[in-house]
Amino acid sequence: MKTNDVLLRNVTKVVAFIIFLFSLHLFFAGHYNPGGGFVAGLTSAGAITLTLLAYDIKTVQSMLNINTIFITGVGLLFAVGTGLLGVFLGKPFLTHVFGYVNLPILGKTSLHTATLFDLGVYLVVVGVTLTIIQSIGESD
Amino acid sequence: MIIKIALSIGLLLYSISTFLYLYRILKGPTTSDKVIALDSIGMNLVAIVAMLSMFYKTNAYLDVILLIALLAFIGTVSFSKFIEKGKVIDRERDN
Protein backbone atom coordinates (compact mmCIF):
# COMPACT_ATOMS: atom_id res chain seq x y z
CA MET A 1 0.00 0.00 0.00
CA LYS A 2 1.39 3.35 -1.00
CA THR A 3 1.31 5.99 1.69
CA ASN A 4 1.35 9.76 1.26
CA ASP A 5 2.71 11.78 4.17
CA VAL A 6 1.69 15.18 2.83
CA LEU A 7 0.27 16.38 6.17
CA LEU A 8 3.31 15.32 8.17
CA ARG A 9 5.74 16.82 5.64
CA ASN A 10 4.00 20.19 5.45
CA VAL A 11 3.69 20.41 9.24
CA THR A 12 7.37 19.51 9.56
CA LYS A 13 8.39 22.34 7.22
CA VAL A 14 6.85 24.85 9.66
CA VAL A 15 7.47 23.19 13.02
CA ALA A 16 11.15 22.39 12.44
CA PHE A 17 11.90 26.10 11.99
CA ILE A 18 9.96 26.94 15.16
CA ILE A 19 11.92 24.31 17.13
CA PHE A 20 15.21 25.62 15.75
CA LEU A 21 14.36 29.24 16.66
CA PHE A 22 13.35 28.04 20.14
CA SER A 23 16.72 26.30 20.51
CA LEU A 24 18.50 29.53 19.50
CA HIS A 25 16.48 31.35 22.16
CA LEU A 26 17.43 28.73 24.77
CA PHE A 27 21.10 29.02 23.77
CA PHE A 28 21.33 32.80 24.08
CA ALA A 29 19.12 32.96 27.20
CA GLY A 30 21.44 30.59 29.06
CA HIS A 31 23.40 33.23 30.95
CA TYR A 32 20.52 35.04 32.66
CA ASN A 33 17.56 32.66 32.28
CA PRO A 34 16.99 28.90 32.21
CA GLY A 35 18.55 27.32 29.15
CA GLY A 36 22.10 26.83 27.93
CA GLY A 37 24.11 24.80 25.50
CA PHE A 38 22.90 21.36 26.52
CA VAL A 39 19.15 21.95 26.19
CA ALA A 40 19.66 24.03 23.05
CA GLY A 41 21.70 21.23 21.47
CA LEU A 42 19.08 18.62 22.33
CA THR A 43 16.31 20.84 20.91
CA SER A 44 18.20 21.42 17.64
CA ALA A 45 18.78 17.69 17.38
CA GLY A 46 15.03 17.28 17.94
CA ALA A 47 14.31 19.55 14.96
CA ILE A 48 16.63 17.53 12.72
CA THR A 49 15.12 14.30 14.11
CA LEU A 50 11.67 15.55 13.10
CA THR A 51 12.87 16.06 9.51
CA LEU A 52 14.44 12.59 9.67
CA LEU A 53 11.05 11.18 10.68
CA ALA A 54 9.14 13.03 7.95
CA TYR A 55 11.68 12.35 5.19
CA ASP A 56 14.54 9.84 5.16
CA ILE A 57 18.24 9.78 5.87
CA LYS A 58 19.35 10.41 2.27
CA THR A 59 17.09 13.44 1.83
CA VAL A 60 18.19 14.99 5.12
CA GLN A 61 21.84 14.44 4.22
CA SER A 62 21.26 16.19 0.91
CA MET A 63 19.46 19.03 2.72
CA LEU A 64 22.21 19.73 5.24
CA ASN A 65 25.47 18.29 4.11
CA ILE A 66 27.22 17.95 7.47
CA ASN A 67 29.42 15.32 9.02
CA THR A 68 28.12 14.83 12.55
CA ILE A 69 31.37 13.47 14.00
CA PHE A 70 33.16 16.52 12.52
CA ILE A 71 30.69 18.78 14.39
CA THR A 72 31.51 16.96 17.64
CA GLY A 73 35.23 17.53 17.06
CA VAL A 74 34.74 21.24 16.32
CA GLY A 75 32.72 21.58 19.52
CA LEU A 76 35.46 19.98 21.62
CA LEU A 77 37.96 22.31 19.92
CA PHE A 78 35.85 25.34 20.94
CA ALA A 79 35.67 24.13 24.55
CA VAL A 80 39.42 23.47 24.84
CA GLY A 81 40.27 26.67 22.91
CA THR A 82 38.34 28.97 25.24
CA GLY A 83 40.02 27.19 28.16
CA LEU A 84 43.45 27.79 26.65
CA LEU A 85 42.61 31.49 26.15
CA GLY A 86 43.02 31.99 29.90
CA VAL A 87 46.41 30.25 29.81
CA PHE A 88 47.69 32.58 27.08
CA LEU A 89 46.60 35.60 29.15
CA GLY A 90 48.64 34.38 32.13
CA LYS A 91 45.63 33.23 34.15
CA PRO A 92 44.64 29.69 35.18
CA PHE A 93 43.06 27.27 32.71
CA LEU A 94 39.39 28.00 31.84
CA THR A 95 39.57 31.60 33.10
CA HIS A 96 36.94 33.52 31.15
CA VAL A 97 37.06 37.17 30.19
CA PHE A 98 34.16 39.51 29.47
CA GLY A 99 33.70 43.09 28.46
CA TYR A 100 31.20 45.66 27.32
CA VAL A 101 31.30 46.39 23.60
CA ASN A 102 29.38 49.05 21.68
CA LEU A 103 27.88 47.18 18.75
CA PRO A 104 26.38 49.14 15.82
CA ILE A 105 22.72 48.11 16.17
CA LEU A 106 22.48 46.43 19.56
CA GLY A 107 24.22 49.20 21.52
CA LYS A 108 26.09 48.43 24.73
CA THR A 109 26.37 44.67 24.86
CA SER A 110 28.10 42.41 27.37
CA LEU A 111 30.17 39.82 25.53
CA HIS A 112 31.53 36.85 27.48
CA THR A 113 33.83 34.05 26.32
CA ALA A 114 31.69 31.59 28.29
CA THR A 115 29.31 31.83 25.31
CA LEU A 116 32.02 30.30 23.11
CA PHE A 117 32.42 27.47 25.64
CA ASP A 118 28.64 27.03 25.54
CA LEU A 119 28.81 26.96 21.74
CA GLY A 120 31.24 24.06 22.10
CA VAL A 121 28.81 22.22 24.39
CA TYR A 122 26.00 22.91 21.88
CA LEU A 123 27.99 21.51 18.93
CA VAL A 124 29.09 18.42 20.89
CA VAL A 125 25.52 17.63 21.98
CA VAL A 126 24.12 18.11 18.46
CA GLY A 127 26.88 15.99 16.91
CA VAL A 128 26.68 13.13 19.39
CA THR A 129 22.87 12.94 19.32
CA LEU A 130 22.69 12.97 15.51
CA THR A 131 25.49 10.41 15.26
CA ILE A 132 23.63 8.04 17.60
CA ILE A 133 20.29 8.48 15.81
CA GLN A 134 21.71 8.17 12.28
CA SER A 135 23.93 5.18 13.00
CA ILE A 136 21.05 3.32 14.67
CA GLY A 137 18.69 4.27 11.85
CA GLU A 138 21.06 3.15 9.10
CA SER A 139 21.65 -0.35 10.51
CA ASP A 140 18.94 -2.78 9.47
CA MET B 1 -6.06 33.98 47.56
CA ILE B 2 -8.91 33.14 45.19
CA ILE B 3 -6.32 32.39 42.50
CA LYS B 4 -4.58 29.85 44.75
CA ILE B 5 -7.87 28.09 45.50
CA ALA B 6 -8.77 27.99 41.81
CA LEU B 7 -5.30 26.69 40.88
CA SER B 8 -5.54 23.97 43.56
CA ILE B 9 -8.89 22.80 42.18
CA GLY B 10 -7.51 22.86 38.64
CA LEU B 11 -4.41 20.88 39.63
CA LEU B 12 -6.62 18.31 41.40
CA LEU B 13 -8.83 17.91 38.34
CA TYR B 14 -5.83 17.57 36.02
CA SER B 15 -4.27 14.92 38.28
CA ILE B 16 -7.53 12.93 38.23
CA SER B 17 -7.54 13.23 34.43
CA THR B 18 -3.92 12.05 34.27
CA PHE B 19 -4.75 9.02 36.43
CA LEU B 20 -7.64 8.14 34.13
CA TYR B 21 -5.27 8.35 31.12
CA LEU B 22 -2.89 6.10 33.07
CA TYR B 23 -5.69 3.55 33.36
CA ARG B 24 -6.10 3.72 29.57
CA ILE B 25 -2.35 3.16 29.11
CA LEU B 26 -2.40 0.10 31.37
CA LYS B 27 -5.63 -1.41 29.99
CA GLY B 28 -5.68 -0.14 26.38
CA PRO B 29 -6.62 -2.93 23.99
CA THR B 30 -4.43 -1.74 21.10
CA THR B 31 -1.12 0.10 20.90
CA SER B 32 -2.79 3.13 19.30
CA ASP B 33 -4.93 3.66 22.41
CA LYS B 34 -1.80 3.72 24.55
CA VAL B 35 -0.02 6.18 22.25
CA ILE B 36 -3.00 8.55 22.22
CA ALA B 37 -3.23 8.35 26.02
CA LEU B 38 0.49 9.11 26.32
CA ASP B 39 0.14 12.15 24.05
CA SER B 40 -2.79 13.40 26.11
CA ILE B 41 -0.77 12.94 29.31
CA GLY B 42 1.87 15.18 27.71
CA MET B 43 -0.74 17.86 27.07
CA ASN B 44 -1.96 17.48 30.69
CA LEU B 45 1.64 17.98 31.83
CA VAL B 46 1.77 21.23 29.84
CA ALA B 47 -1.31 22.50 31.71
CA ILE B 48 0.04 21.30 35.08
CA VAL B 49 3.38 23.07 34.57
CA ALA B 50 1.58 26.26 33.53
CA MET B 51 -0.58 26.19 36.65
CA LEU B 52 2.41 25.40 38.87
CA SER B 53 4.32 28.36 37.44
CA MET B 54 1.33 30.55 38.33
CA PHE B 55 1.19 28.93 41.78
CA TYR B 56 4.85 29.69 42.53
CA LYS B 57 4.66 33.15 40.86
CA THR B 58 7.65 32.52 38.58
CA ASN B 59 8.15 32.60 34.83
CA ALA B 60 11.17 30.30 34.88
CA TYR B 61 9.01 27.32 33.84
CA LEU B 62 7.62 28.86 30.67
CA ASP B 63 10.34 27.34 28.46
CA VAL B 64 9.46 23.91 29.87
CA ILE B 65 5.90 24.21 28.51
CA LEU B 66 7.03 24.66 24.91
CA LEU B 67 9.67 21.95 25.33
CA ILE B 68 7.15 19.38 26.63
CA ALA B 69 4.75 20.16 23.78
CA LEU B 70 7.49 19.78 21.13
CA LEU B 71 8.80 16.53 22.65
CA ALA B 72 5.28 15.08 22.88
CA PHE B 73 4.74 15.90 19.19
CA ILE B 74 8.02 14.30 18.08
CA GLY B 75 7.39 11.23 20.26
CA THR B 76 3.87 10.71 18.97
CA VAL B 77 5.00 11.11 15.35
CA SER B 78 7.74 8.51 15.82
CA PHE B 79 5.39 6.07 17.58
CA SER B 80 2.78 6.38 14.84
CA LYS B 81 5.41 5.90 12.15
CA PHE B 82 6.58 2.77 13.94
CA ILE B 83 3.01 1.45 14.08
CA GLU B 84 2.44 2.23 10.40
CA LYS B 85 5.67 1.05 8.78
CA GLY B 86 7.48 -1.04 11.40
CA LYS B 87 10.54 1.22 11.35
CA VAL B 88 10.99 4.77 12.50
CA ILE B 89 13.64 6.24 10.19
CA ASP B 90 13.75 5.21 6.53
CA ARG B 91 17.04 4.94 4.74
CA GLU B 92 15.62 5.80 1.34
CA ARG B 93 12.22 7.15 0.41
CA ASP B 94 9.84 4.79 -1.35
CA ASN B 95 7.06 7.24 -2.17
Side-chain angles (χ1 to χ4, degrees), chain B residues 2 21 34 49:
Chain B
I2 186 105
Y21 280 132
K34 301 184 182 188
V49 171

Side-chain angles (χ1 to χ4, degrees), chain B residues 12 17 23 29 31 39 41 43 54 65 68 93 95:
Chain B
L12 182 70
S17 158
Y23 176 77
T31 315
D39 192 48
I41 280 184
M43 291 308 119
M54 284 173 74
I65 294 172
I68 290 176
R93 213 165 358 154
N95 58 344

Side-chain angles (χ1 to χ4, degrees), chain B residues 31-43:
Chain B
T31 315
S32 309
D33 292 328
K34 301 184 182 188
V35 171
I36 292 292
L38 205 62
D39 192 48
S40 309
I41 280 184
M43 291 308 119

Side-chain angles (χ1 to χ4, degrees), chain B residues 40-54:
Chain B
S40 309
I41 280 184
M43 291 308 119
N44 271 2
L45 271 180
V46 166
I48 286 174
V49 171
M51 283 192 286
L52 274 182
S53 76
M54 284 173 74

Side-chain angles (χ1 to χ4, degrees), chain A residues 62-73:
Chain A
S62 68
M63 274 195 280
L64 21 117
N65 195 8
I66 48 173
N67 189 356
T68 51
I69 280 295
F70 183 71
I71 284 183
T72 311

Side-chain angles (χ1 to χ4, degrees), chain A residues 3 9 53 56-57 138, chain B residues 81 84 91-93 95:
Chain A
T3 57
R9 285 188 185 140
L53 287 171
D56 54 326
I57 289 181
E138 274 176 350
Chain B
K81 201 170 174 191
E84 185 190 356
R91 183 182 300 184
E92 199 162 356
R93 213 165 358 154
N95 58 344

Side-chain angles (χ1 to χ4, degrees), chain A residues 1-120:
Chain A
M1 188 184 76
K2 284 200 70 159
T3 57
N4 192 1
D5 297 339
V6 61
L7 266 177
L8 176 62
R9 285 188 185 140
N10 280 308
V11 166
T12 299
K13 279 173 195 166
V14 179
V15 170
F17 275 103
I18 295 175
I19 300 178
F20 190 67
L21 285 179
F22 178 56
S23 87
L24 279 186
H25 162 72
L26 279 178
F27 177 75
F28 286 111
H31 198 72
Y32 295 111
N33 290 109
F38 186 75
V39 182
L42 281 182
T43 318
S44 295
I48 300 175
T49 308
L50 187 61
T51 55
L52 273 176
L53 287 171
Y55 295 92
D56 54 326
I57 289 181
K58 276 197 170 176
T59 313
V60 172
Q61 275 178 351
S62 68
M63 274 195 280
L64 21 117
N65 195 8
I66 48 173
N67 189 356
T68 51
I69 280 295
F70 183 71
I71 284 183
T72 311
V74 170
L76 282 175
L77 214 61
F78 264 105
V80 176
T82 51
L84 284 177
L85 196 68
V87 175
F88 288 137
L89 292 176
K91 302 267 180 59
F93 183 61
L94 278 175
T95 305
H96 289 285
V97 293
F98 68 99
Y100 292 96
V101 183
N102 270 315
L103 290 180
I105 299 171
L106 298 172
K108 186 183 174 191
T109 313
S110 161
L111 295 181
H112 205 297
T113 53
T115 310
L116 291 175
F117 185 81
D118 226 20
L119 184 65

